[in-house]
Amino acid sequence: MSSTKLTINKNGSIKIEGDFEIVDGQGNVYGLEGRKALGLCRCGLSANKPFCDGSHRNSFEHEPAAFDLPPMKTN
């Protein structure tokens, strides 16, 4: 089992827990101030993107259900 866990929350964020680092598109590291758990925005409404600030409440609906991806293509 890996040391990082992502949970897709119903009608909400992606919760990330464990040992992780988050970087932007240029590879710059976000200063997480020692946090071992936080929420990432899925709805696009957060004023603090990529982090969740709760703005999705009452305006974002998604019922997550795990499924298997198709096999990877190997060319």
Side-chain angles (χ1 to χ4, degrees):
M1 188 55 97
S2 71
S3 61
T4 303
K5 178 181 175 182
L6 293 142
T7 303
I8 312 303
N9 291 315
K10 177 181 178 180
N11 301 333
S13 66
I14 297 172
K15 182 178 181 183
I16 182 170
E17 303 171 87
D19 185 25
F20 58 88
E21 158 178 276
I22 301 175
V23 298
D24 67 14
Q26 287 72 47
N28 300 307
V29 178
Y30 286 88
L32 303 178
E33 304 302 321
R35 287 174 176 80
K36 294 295 182 184
L38 54 80
L40 297 175
C41 179
R42 284 199 304 148
C43 71
L45 299 173
S46 176
N48 198 29
K49 286 191 253 339
F51 306 104
C52 178
D53 67 2
S55 294
H56 61 271
R57 283 182 176 65
N58 302 318
S59 61
F60 179 74
E61 292 185 22
H62 178 254
E63 179 72 43
F67 60 91
D68 294 332
L69 292 174
M72 289 178 44
K73 295 180 181 178
T74 56
N75 294 354

